[in-house]
Amino acid sequence: MRNTALRSTAAALAAAVCLTLSALTPAAGAESADPGTAGGRTVVGSGHVDIGPRFAEDGWTVQIRDDTAEPPVWRDTDDVVLQVRDTAKIQAPGGEEFGFLGAQGDEVWVVPQAQQEGVVWPGWNSQDPQVTATVDREVTWELTGVTGPGDFVLFLNGAFGTPEVVFDGSGKLPQETGIEVNSHVHGNWAFTEPGTYLLDVRMKATTKDGKAHDSRRTLHFSVGPQDPEKAFTAAGSDASGPDPTRSASGVRAEASSGGGDSSSAPLWWGTGAAVVAAGAGLFVLQRRRRGDDQDPAATTQASAPGSAKGENDGPA
């Protein structure tokens, strides 16, 4: 009888771990077939999407894989607004580690690294079949411009929840990170004010035949209670090159809009420790800075903006 009870308990624990891991790992992964590029504009306010390079009808390009559609499809970035609702609003924890989010108690919208119900869940992947078959080692991802009413930061939860900044829109641009071929990553997307944000991105790579491929696109985010449709037509910098009107920080101001009720406690806060406890495993973050004006001392700072390499959760 006792052995039966122990077996039942063990089975229940195993099931709980499986459920935890499935919640932390996206259903989407390496693709077995090319779903093609869908037309028409869409607002995605919840569910899983990925930003990534692919070889589409017109060659190498940055697109958004929309897993909220059935079946999943790839969409042009200008046809997608990622809506960050007030369900993602939290209060900044403050302190030295999270100072990039503002002072303690400041409102901030954080799309968490782990999936949260009612919040869009954007990641990035390099799992397009032709990319995995032809690209040599990795894809370089750059943040080249940010337009919005506040600051934007993309960061990862390292070991025990220590933040690792990938991109910081208040810093000098462009900033870059590497995406290993056939990888799939999620991070925390933070916005300090409500309104429309346009993130100019660039992804480039060299294929095994020595050919260079380069694509510049703009990601559209609508943060807070505003009408997300506004983000489709918002004016921003030209994604094909630098914006001469942009400040040194890379951020150009616009009017913010609305408020809204604060959401529940942030899920991302303890994600790093939760992943370790669940046995999902955290990979070592390889950090780097590139550019002729690089400060050699900056490479030793754990919180240097724009220098983190993604945490690879692998193909699902």
Side-chain angles (χ1 to χ4, degrees), residues 224-243:
Q226 71 169 4
D227 179 0
E229 297 283 339
K230 292 169 57 178
F232 282 118
T233 56
S237 68
D238 182 357
S240 64
D243 178 5

Side-chain angles (χ1 to χ4, degrees), residues 55 60 134-136 204-214:
F55 287 96
W60 176 270
T134 63
V135 168
D136 185 18
K204 55 186 180 179
T206 302
T207 43
K208 295 173 184 177
D209 58 6
K211 292 181 179 179
H213 303 273
D214 194 339

Side-chain angles (χ1 to χ4, degrees), residues 31 34 52-56 59-63 74 125-140 179-183 203-208 213:
E31 301 159 39
D34 185 350
R54 65 186 294 253
F55 287 96
W60 176 270
T61 185
V62 178
Q63 291 189 332
W74 285 92
N125 83 52
S126 54
Q127 295 179 310
D128 172 76
Q130 195 170 347
V131 169
T132 61
T134 63
V135 168
D136 185 18
R137 198 169 72 84
E138 71 171 17
V139 175
T140 298
I179 309 173
E180 296 291 340
V181 169
N182 197 26
S183 65
M203 289 188 179
K204 55 186 180 179
T206 302
T207 43
K208 295 173 184 177
H213 303 273

Side-chain angles (χ1 to χ4, degrees), residues 112-128:
Q113 184 169 322
Q115 189 169 20
Q116 179 177 328
E117 186 175 357
V119 179
V120 65
W121 194 32
W124 54 99
N125 83 52
S126 54
Q127 295 179 310
D128 172 76

Side-chain angles (χ1 to χ4, degrees), residues 5-83:
L6 287 173
R7 284 195 297 271
S8 298
T9 301
L13 287 172
V17 169
C18 289
L19 287 172
T20 302
L21 292 176
S22 65
L24 294 173
T25 305
E31 301 159 39
S32 57
D34 185 350
T37 302
R41 290 177 169 178
T42 186
V43 174
V44 181
S46 64
H48 181 257
V49 297
D50 272 332
I51 298 130
R54 65 186 294 253
F55 287 96
E57 296 81 357
D58 296 324
W60 176 270
T61 185
V62 178
Q63 291 189 332
I64 294 176
R65 180 182 162 96
D66 181 4
D67 288 320
T68 70
E70 185 58 48
V73 295
W74 285 92
R75 302 185 188 274
D76 290 331
T77 61
D78 286 340
D79 288 338
V80 180
V81 167
L82 301 178
Q83 183 185 17

Side-chain angles (χ1 to χ4, degrees), residues 255-274:
S256 63
S257 62
D261 297 333
S262 177
S263 66
S264 58
L267 178 61
W268 58 267
W269 231 308
T271 302

Side-chain angles (χ1 to χ4, degrees), residues 43-297:
V43 174
V44 181
S46 64
H48 181 257
V49 297
D50 272 332
I51 298 130
R54 65 186 294 253
F55 287 96
E57 296 81 357
D58 296 324
W60 176 270
T61 185
V62 178
Q63 291 189 332
I64 294 176
R65 180 182 162 96
D66 181 4
D67 288 320
T68 70
E70 185 58 48
V73 295
W74 285 92
R75 302 185 188 274
D76 290 331
T77 61
D78 286 340
D79 288 338
V80 180
V81 167
L82 301 178
Q83 183 185 17
V84 183
R85 299 168 175 160
D86 278 346
T87 48
K89 186 167 63 173
I90 64 165
Q91 291 186 336
E96 184 177 353
E97 285 189 339
F98 289 97
F100 57 83
L101 295 178
Q104 183 175 0
D106 284 354
E107 289 185 342
V108 60
W109 285 254
V110 178
V111 176
Q113 184 169 322
Q115 189 169 20
Q116 179 177 328
E117 186 175 357
V119 179
V120 65
W121 194 32
W124 54 99
N125 83 52
S126 54
Q127 295 179 310
D128 172 76
Q130 195 170 347
V131 169
T132 61
T134 63
V135 168
D136 185 18
R137 198 169 72 84
E138 71 171 17
V139 175
T140 298
W141 179 21
E142 294 182 356
L143 178 69
T144 61
V146 179
T147 302
D151 293 335
F152 158 73
V153 180
L154 175 61
F155 67 100
L156 298 165
N157 296 324
F160 307 106
T162 303
E164 301 282 349
V165 174
V166 180
F167 295 134
D168 184 346
S170 66
K172 184 178 179 180
L173 299 176
Q175 298 166 12
E176 72 174 40
T177 187
I179 309 173
E180 296 291 340
V181 169
N182 197 26
S183 65
H184 180 198
V185 188
H186 280 265
N188 305 288
W189 305 69
F191 305 88
T192 62
E193 298 289 342
T196 296
Y197 290 77
L198 303 179
L199 309 183
D200 298 333
V201 298
R202 178 186 188 187
M203 289 188 179
K204 55 186 180 179
T206 302
T207 43
K208 295 173 184 177
D209 58 6
K211 292 181 179 179
H213 303 273
D214 194 339
S215 176
R216 300 180 185 225
R217 295 291 182 266
T218 299
L219 308 178
H220 300 248
F221 284 83
S222 176
V223 179
Q226 71 169 4
D227 179 0
E229 297 283 339
K230 292 169 57 178
F232 282 118
T233 56
S237 68
D238 182 357
S240 64
D243 178 5
T245 67
R246 191 177 303 282
S247 67
S249 69
V251 178
R252 185 171 58 202
E254 66 174 27
S256 63
S257 62
D261 297 333
S262 177
S263 66
S264 58
L267 178 61
W268 58 267
W269 231 308
T271 302
V275 173
V276 172
L282 289 173
F283 289 78
V284 176
L285 299 174
Q286 300 175 4
R287 306 175 58 78
R288 63 191 177 178
R289 294 289 295 271
R290 296 177 186 169
D292 294 336
D293 59 346
Q294 178 180 343
D295 177 3

